[in-house]
Amino acid sequence: MSIDAIIRKDLDIIRDNLLEFKDKIRGSLFLVTGGAGFLGSWICDVLNSFDANIICVDNMISGSESNISHLYGQENFSIIKNDVSNLTISENVDYVIHMACIASPPMYQKHPIETLNANILGTKNMLDFAKRIKVKTFLFASTSEVYGDAKIIPTPESYCGNVNLFGPRSVYDEGKRAAELYCYSYHKQFHLPIRIARIFNTYGPRLDAKLNTQYGRVVTKFIYQALKHRPLTVYGDGTQTRSFCYITDQIEGLFKLMLVPELDGKVINIGNDEEITILELAKLILKLTNSKSEISFESLPENDPKRRKPKINKAKRSLRWKPKIDLKTGLHKTIEWIMSEN
Ligand code: UDP
């Protein structure tokens, strides 16, 4: 089985932008947890394109076989279907990329304990492993959700957050906050070379590979609804905002955070700072898909952050990175991919 043309083209773009790191990647052994997920599978593909060796770990709760099955059978790729909270690895890997966690709000609310376990027990387990074998870098996938319903927009890394400990999102938000603290403490106490990416809303091919489930993130859910001529379900009055980063920009940022020298112990926002309301997003998707679907307004979930937009000066300065794909271009590619899958 091969990767479809849309993803192949985007992978070539990411590869071109990471050529300066090719010698660090080629031949090294990478452990990618959550490797069958949306971001994790793109990471595996980029590593593969540079002839790295990859151990992909996924318990398949939200990961999808279809994201990685094209790598099965290759000598440089192995898959372990296991939970990160009780995983044992014997190989001496060079890099750990710890992505494993359910990220869809309705899905992590359905699996609160699994979400906490992946973040807290899973992160501790992976940190202990990394400490034992002395990795070159431990990259942790954190989230904009550590800021909760942020009161400072655009939100810098120094913002302490506004999170409801007992809210419906807390297993994810507080789980990621605890995981960051674990990473940071292993760095302080054991000098483990951790790096933390605070990932803002990202979209593109493979987001919600299981497209017809109720757990879709907003971009793919709206595209799917528009293409199926179903109403676009805007929550609340749609004035809440998000800032959407296209997958190629996100993956390039993550690799740079992992590989640029002298960033151990650092926390960096990775995202796009082009802010849009959810109602505007719905209208834009209707236009780009030429859909006649209506917009139906439904109740706003509790603790849904009102605005989200990253401050990305630190990433621009430290990584010499900035997002390049605007929302319209990224949506076009995502729509094309979803149409090709259905
Ligand atoms: N949203 C919406 N309709 C949907 C799904 C999501 O209006 O069918 C809104 C949701 O309330 C939130 C935004 O879209 O304000 C982004 O939701 P998503 O689940 O993609 O991720 P979040 O950024 O909330 O983690």
Side-chain angles (χ1 to χ4, degrees):
M1 196 192 289
S2 64
I3 309 184
D4 63 71
I6 298 163
I7 294 180
R8 164 76 48 217
K9 236 158 89 186
D10 275 346
L11 279 172
D12 287 345
I13 295 170
I14 301 173
R15 209 189 122 82
D16 285 349
N17 291 330
L18 293 174
L19 276 179
E20 64 187 291
F21 302 105
K22 68 175 189 308
D23 294 335
K24 280 190 174 177
I25 304 175
R26 180 177 300 132
S28 295
L29 179 57
F30 290 80
L31 176 71
V32 186
T33 77
F38 169 47
L39 297 171
S41 63
W42 278 85
I43 290 172
C44 289
D45 276 331
V46 172
L47 292 172
N48 183 52
S49 76
F50 281 110
D51 298 321
N53 299 304
I54 307 151
I55 302 173
C56 168
V57 176
D58 207 298
N59 65 2
M60 296 294 178
I61 288 192
S62 59
S64 184
E65 207 94 40
S66 63
N67 288 341
I68 46 161
S69 50
H70 55 279
L71 298 173
Y72 287 5
Q74 286 189 195
E75 215 173 285
N76 64 340
F77 181 85
S78 59
I79 167 98
I80 302 175
K81 292 182 189 166
N82 204 103
D83 203 283
V84 279
S85 57
N86 58 18
L87 176 72
T88 316
I89 300 266
S90 48
E91 280 88 343
N92 276 341
V93 310
D94 299 297
Y95 296 87
V96 174
I97 307 178
H98 181 36
M99 310 294 294
C101 187
I102 301 168
S104 148
M107 196 169 186
Y108 62 65
Q109 286 169 41
K110 191 175 173 223
H111 297 282
I113 305 298
E114 289 87 343
T115 305
L116 281 171
N117 283 352
N119 280 324
I120 300 175
L121 306 181
T123 301
K124 178 169 183 329
N125 192 26
M126 291 300 96
L127 287 165
D128 281 331
F129 163 69
K131 176 174 160 255
R132 222 171 26 245
I133 57 161
K134 298 192 172 53
V135 290
K136 289 180 180 149
T137 301
F138 183 104
L139 179 69
F140 176 61
S142 186
T143 168
S144 53
E145 285 280 328
V146 298
Y147 302 124
D149 191 6
K151 299 295 172 221
I152 296 183
I153 305 288
T155 310
E157 289 83 354
S158 56
Y159 180 60
C160 294
N162 174 32
V163 178
N164 178 0
L165 175 58
F166 290 109
R169 291 178 173 245
S170 60
V171 288
Y172 189 70
D173 301 9
E174 295 291 3
K176 288 286 185 188
R177 287 170 69 94
E180 279 201 18
L181 186 55
Y182 255 128
C183 293
Y184 190 58
S185 302
Y186 271 65
H187 175 66
K188 256 172 93 174
Q189 199 167 331
F190 306 122
H191 309 288
L192 199 76
I194 64 99
R195 297 169 181 211
I196 299 172
R198 290 197 179 139
I199 298 172
F200 282 66
N201 294 68
T202 302
Y203 69 102
R206 290 192 188 145
L207 175 59
D208 306 318
K210 299 164 184 161
L211 264 175
N212 48 4
T213 73
Q214 78 259 44
Y215 300 120
R217 309 302 297 277
V218 71
V219 170
T220 36
K221 195 171 164 191
F222 282 178
I223 295 174
Y224 189 73
Q225 289 169 332
L227 294 175
K228 295 274 176 202
H229 309 292
R230 294 183 190 150
L232 271 61
T233 51
V234 169
Y235 295 160
D237 59 6
T239 54
Q240 71 273 30
T241 72
R242 294 294 185 271
S243 307
F244 295 99
C245 182
Y246 188 64
I247 183 72
T248 51
D249 287 331
Q250 181 63 244
I251 296 295
E252 190 189 316
L254 292 175
F255 269 88
K256 289 192 165 162
L257 176 51
M258 175 170 59
L259 297 168
V260 166
E262 289 172 25
L263 291 177
D264 292 349
K266 298 279 188 262
V267 179
I268 298 188
N269 287 341
I270 312 236
N272 190 311
D273 55 2
E274 187 186 344
E275 189 181 15
I276 184 171
T277 69
I278 294 303
L279 183 57
E280 284 170 328
L281 174 74
K283 288 180 179 164
L284 181 57
I285 288 175
L286 287 178
K287 196 168 144 203
L288 298 178
T289 52
N290 280 320
S291 172
K292 298 274 173 289
S293 289
E294 292 182 349
I295 290 178
S296 87
F297 291 91
E298 305 200 345
S299 56
L300 184 69
E302 197 189 336
N303 288 160
D304 196 298
K306 185 72 192 140
R307 285 184 71 189
R308 187 180 292 149
K309 171 180 173 164
K311 188 158 184 149
I312 52 174
N313 302 33
K314 200 170 168 184
K316 284 180 176 166
R317 198 177 54 243
S318 316
L319 310 180
R320 283 184 287 114
W321 166 92
K322 63 171 195 275
K324 297 189 251 317
I325 306 292
D326 64 37
L327 185 59
K328 226 166 148 182
T329 309
L331 286 176
H332 266 303
K333 294 190 200 215
T334 310
I335 292 165
E336 207 189 328
W337 180 77
I338 291 179
M339 287 172 72
S340 74
E341 288 289 292
N342 285 274

